[in-house]
Amino acid sequence: MRRRSIALTASAGIAAGALGLTSLALPAGAQNPRLPTTTPQELVASVLESGRAPAMAGTVTVHNRLGLPALPGTEEAGEFLSGGQKSLRVWSDGERGYRMSVPTSQGEVTVVDDGNTVWKWTSSERTVVKHHTGEGEPGTRRDDTPAENPAELARGLVGKLRDSSEVTVDGTTRVAGEDAYELVLTPDPGERTKLREVRVAVGAEHRIPLRVEVNTNGSGEPALSAGFTRLDFGRQDPELFQFTPPENARVRTADPEEGNHPEGEQRQRANSTSRLVGDGWDTVVVSELPRQATRQEDTAEREHAGSPENPRGILDTIGEPISGSWGHGRVVDTAAGTAVITTDGRVAAGAVPRQVLTEALRNS
Amino acid sequence: MNGMVSRVEPPSGVRRNGPAPFWRVVRSELGWVLRRPRNLLALFGLAMLPVLIGTVLTLTDSAGSGPSLFAAMAGNGLVLPVFSLMMTQNLLLPLVTAMVAADALAGESAHGTLRGLLLAPVGRVRLVTVKAIGVASMIVLAVGVITLSGVLTGLTVVGGDGLVTLSGTTLPLGPALGRVALAAGWCAVQMAAVGAVALAVSAATEHPLLVMAVTVGGLIVFGVLEAFPNLEWLKPVMLTTDWYSISDVLSDPIRSQDLLTGLWRACCYILIGFSAATARMATKDT
């Protein structure tokens, strides 16, 4: 009799353990909190008004189902671009200090901004890149935008968006335990885009964007979703926003001329030759590849331009050939966008199907 | 009272009324575990591993390439114990754990000595508990030996006082050792989960080899399943899912999310394994 009760208790133990395991597999229940209704203008205005992020610590998770081919030699930027799920941690002291920490397969990349200096630490290379952001002008640059009347600014912004899309506040949601409004941008029926809608969850209390989801045509799940999965508001340890390079680390000071990231330089050069074709959702960026593609470090541009040493060589391995009256090239198709790179060094990219790209190339 | 009496007790094998004192049974079980040459050899081998890694690292100076954490280890000795734990907890530590768990019940069964234990004045739950304590002690010893050897090798051969975290901050020796201890404790709990499941298998069979095959085979199957993107939904319940997160103790502040999830998961496995072992033993005929 006693043995039977032992066996029963033990079975209950097994069941409890199994239940505990399944609790890990179940997604958190989605509830829609009740919040006072608001209009898109009010929502955007309140975001502009709130200005900088309050003191907080959070984890941002990026889900990527864009279907981008894996790009060789792109390190941490590439890890975010190629599919999958990534988490990064962010801290803010509510004033000038920021900290971000991104895990990589080789360790971690940490960026610390103490208000005067931005430090970028790459653990796999044991290097620190130091960049001074103008001392003595404490954050004035950042405060520029909200100086204008936020309500006015919001009306202009929403008005501009309404030219090509429908802007609505579509109910409420919960992100990382915070009540949030969902601001939804839907392209007008006439827009030739691959995107179905863009949803931005805005925290009801602190009025900061908590999550961005990009939905594409023909898919129920967002192609790209980036949002907080954990978020704690409150004072943060000031130590977090200081950085002392460890011994035996290579410290390099970024040349202010060169810009914080070589990316800035790259972008400037790209801007000088790139044009926008079309407007609204079917905007296409057409640019020329630099004659000699120079060494780049972390840059989102690679998504369009190719890679460090030989963009065309890399593209040959990931794109598929395409040709038309505009020339020959290779095309990279993803869930949310398309890019074409031609043999004569022109690049066209946008959140559009490939026909729109080739049209833009023909007209340029 | 008990202690006094036990000293003048007749030698073992003589039946007594009432249960034997718990601590004595545990002590004798520990004695058995530690007296087996294979267990001692396993501990020695595990202790040698960090020494080997550390020496190879310093001699070849191969920093900058290789598996994760390898780059962080150059001149940063206290990464070595964590790296060693990460390397061994995939296969070697589970193997040692399964070996001890196999001896615990299935081995006794194979030698025909389990029958004597079942008839002895020790309750069935107690018996499983004692065996579990035996397995747990071996796990703690194995993890402890790796950690200790790793710390010593790291500080003497690889060098560096304190710890440069993956986030680029420098921790003094005290907190750095705390991080290492945290990794060791987390690893021990994961291995306890393996041990609990192995013990359950051990209770169900009388072939010690089968216990090792099932335990290690199960871990390999988990590894294979993890590689399929379609089976993403299975990940949360697989024990091995967060095992690489052990390196998260080297971030500053500690990246705790995955570590905590892994801890909860391991506790669930321990509960399941221990309950299953108890259920099997309770219903076993003598």
Side-chain angles (χ1 to χ4, degrees), chain A residues 3 10 20 89 99 105 108 121, chain B residues 166-167 251-253 255 282:
Chain A
R3 282 192 194 159
R89 295 184 296 165
R99 184 194 178 94
S105 59
E108 200 172 285
W121 155 260
Chain B
L166 291 179
S167 308
S251 284
D252 194 30
R255 205 181 306 138

Side-chain angles (χ1 to χ4, degrees), chain A residues 120-136:
Chain A
K120 184 183 174 211
W121 155 260
T122 311
S123 79
S124 58
E125 292 159 7
R126 300 172 79 82
T127 52
V128 179
V129 180
K130 197 166 107 176
H131 177 244
H132 291 281
T133 54
E135 278 160 77

